Structures are given as structure tokens and as C-alpha cells.
Amino acid sequence: MTTLALTINGRAYGPTEIRDDLSMNDFLREVLGLTGTKFGCGAAQCLACAVIVDREDGTSYTNPTCIVAAANFNGKTIRTVEGHAQNGELTALQKGFIEHFSFQCGYCTPGFLNESQVLLERLAKTKVARADLEKTIAEALDGHLCRCTGYVKYHQAVRDVVLADPDRYLA
Ligand code: FES
Ligand code: FES
């Protein structure tokens, strides 16, 4: 057994005792009931299970949860798909995914949403030239697998969010 304490979507959880081999995916879904984080391949190949990890310096990255022990997240601050909308108001990204019909079954959507959010926050700090935008989005979303929609509509949704606020994201 080991002790886990972390912050999820701005709320502190723990300290609580967990099994050493409990995966982060099982901790979120089975222990906390945060089932928005999905379990796909279970082998760090599809990233449906990815959550956002926030560093103390204000930067963030995504991390799979399926093959990672929950204990590895001790002391960390993370965000899951449940933390995006505020007071029932969807983010621009969430609205964009819906408007573009970016998903069908939605199983991959939390991972794409988290990855796209990290990208937007990165671009807000370090703007990108319009000429490099397509490549930047493609590189950011690379590695996320979708069996339904073929990726293009996710890409278009992210692009539209960026282009709707050029002063914020474009150099
Ligand atoms: S379920 Fe974790 S990467 Fe596929
Ligand atoms: S919408 Fe079904 S896997 Fe992506």
C-alpha cells in the first residue's frame, strides 16, 4: 500500500491509501468515479486515457494513465475532461469539437481535448506563425488514435479556435 494525495480539476484528493499496483486510470474511474477519462488500448498506444499534468512553472503536458501507477501522480496537479467546462459553459474547444462533428463514439475525445487544451495554452505563451499552424496542430495531436472520424475534424476544430483569436495565438 502507498499514500496518494493530488489535486484534480482544482480539488484536493487524499491523502488516501491505495494499492501500489493500482493504475491511475483505475484510480480515476473506479475509485473516484471520474469516468470521463477513458481506457482504450491499455498499452500507451492510443492516448484515450491521457490527462493534463500541470507543472509548477505554469506549463503543462499530457500523460497516459492506463499503464502508469496512481502512486506516480502523488503530489501532482492534473486536469481531466471533467474539469474543462466551467459552470456548465463549454470551452471554445469543446464547442469547436461539437460544431465540427469531430467525434462519433467519443471514446478518444477526452484525450484529444486535453492535448488540444495544452496546445492552446502553449500557443498563448509562445505564438506560432500562421504558416506553421497546420504543422503545429498535426504534431500536437499526433499519437492520439481515433477509430471513427479520421482526425481531420479534430484538426479543423483546433485550427478554428486559434484563427478565431489570432492576437492570442498567432505571431
Ligand atoms: S488506454 Fe492508455 S494509451 Fe490507450
Ligand atoms: S470518435 Fe470514436 S474513437 Fe474517436
Side-chain angles (χ1 to χ4, degrees):
M1 300 291 281
T2 189
T3 302
L4 174 64
L6 75 170
T7 301
I8 305 173
N9 301 327
R11 180 179 156 193
Y13 289 84
T16 184
E17 289 290 305
I18 57 165
R19 290 192 337 262
D20 292 338
D21 63 350
L22 180 72
S23 76
M24 186 58 173
N25 198 273
D26 280 347
F27 177 71
L28 290 171
R29 293 177 55 83
E30 306 297 335
V31 178
L32 299 184
L34 292 172
T35 55
T37 299
K38 300 306 181 207
F39 183 86
C41 65
Q45 297 296 311
C46 73
L47 297 182
C49 66
V51 298
I52 300 173
V53 182
D54 295 319
R55 298 185 183 98
E56 286 186 5
D57 67 1
T59 62
S60 304
Y61 62 98
T62 61
N63 209 84
T65 57
C66 61
I67 60 162
V68 184
N72 284 24
F73 286 82
N74 188 41
K76 297 203 164 147
T77 297
I78 73 164
R79 286 176 276 165
T80 68
V81 64
E82 290 91 347
H84 286 253
Q86 296 296 320
N87 302 317
E89 178 70 16
L90 298 181
T91 65
L93 263 177
Q94 288 174 308
K95 289 177 185 168
F97 283 7
I98 292 169
E99 286 160 6
H100 280 272
F101 299 99
S102 299
F103 54 89
Q104 289 179 16
C105 79
Y107 219 76
C108 64
T109 307
F112 273 99
L113 182 68
N114 287 332
E115 198 70 66
S116 302
Q117 183 65 33
V118 167
L119 171 62
L120 287 183
E121 292 171 9
R122 176 161 63 84
L123 295 183
K125 290 189 173 81
T126 308
K127 299 181 190 339
V128 65
R130 175 66 183 92
D132 295 329
L133 180 59
E134 307 300 334
K135 181 166 160 274
T136 299
I137 296 171
E139 286 176 352
L141 300 185
D142 189 31
H144 286 261
L145 299 186
C146 174
R147 303 298 294 267
C148 303
T149 62
Y151 309 101
V152 174
K153 293 174 180 179
Y154 277 126
H155 185 112
Q156 290 171 337
V158 176
R159 177 209 291 145
D160 278 7
V161 171
V162 171
L163 295 182
D165 199 348
D167 290 345
R168 186 171 185 195
Y169 298 118
L170 295 181

